[in-house]
Amino acid sequence: MRGALRESLNLRVSPEVKRQIEQYAARTGISINAAAVLLAEGLRAERRKR
């Protein structure tokens, strides 16, 4: 099951960032790791715009 609660994020991030990644994964139905990758790519794209 994707986005299952037993899945964990193996990154050193703040609790707030972890919560956002977990919520995004649950909302979109993708794995937590996939959500982390997508959100990281989004952040990189935003930084390149600046």
Side-chain angles (χ1 to χ4, degrees):
M1 176 186 217
R2 290 182 174 163
L5 290 179
R6 70 182 192 285
E7 183 181 14
S8 66
L9 182 62
N10 252 353
L11 295 175
R12 291 182 184 177
V13 296
S14 71
E16 175 63 20
V17 170
K18 184 175 181 178
R19 184 185 60 74
Q20 289 176 348
I21 291 169
E22 290 170 342
Q23 287 178 343
Y24 182 74
R27 194 170 58 246
T28 59
I30 62 176
S31 73
I32 290 174
N33 288 325
V37 169
L38 289 173
L39 291 171
E41 287 300 318
L43 290 171
R44 285 185 196 108
E46 285 296 316
R47 287 183 188 142
R48 283 191 297 263
K49 284 182 181 179
R50 293 181 197 170

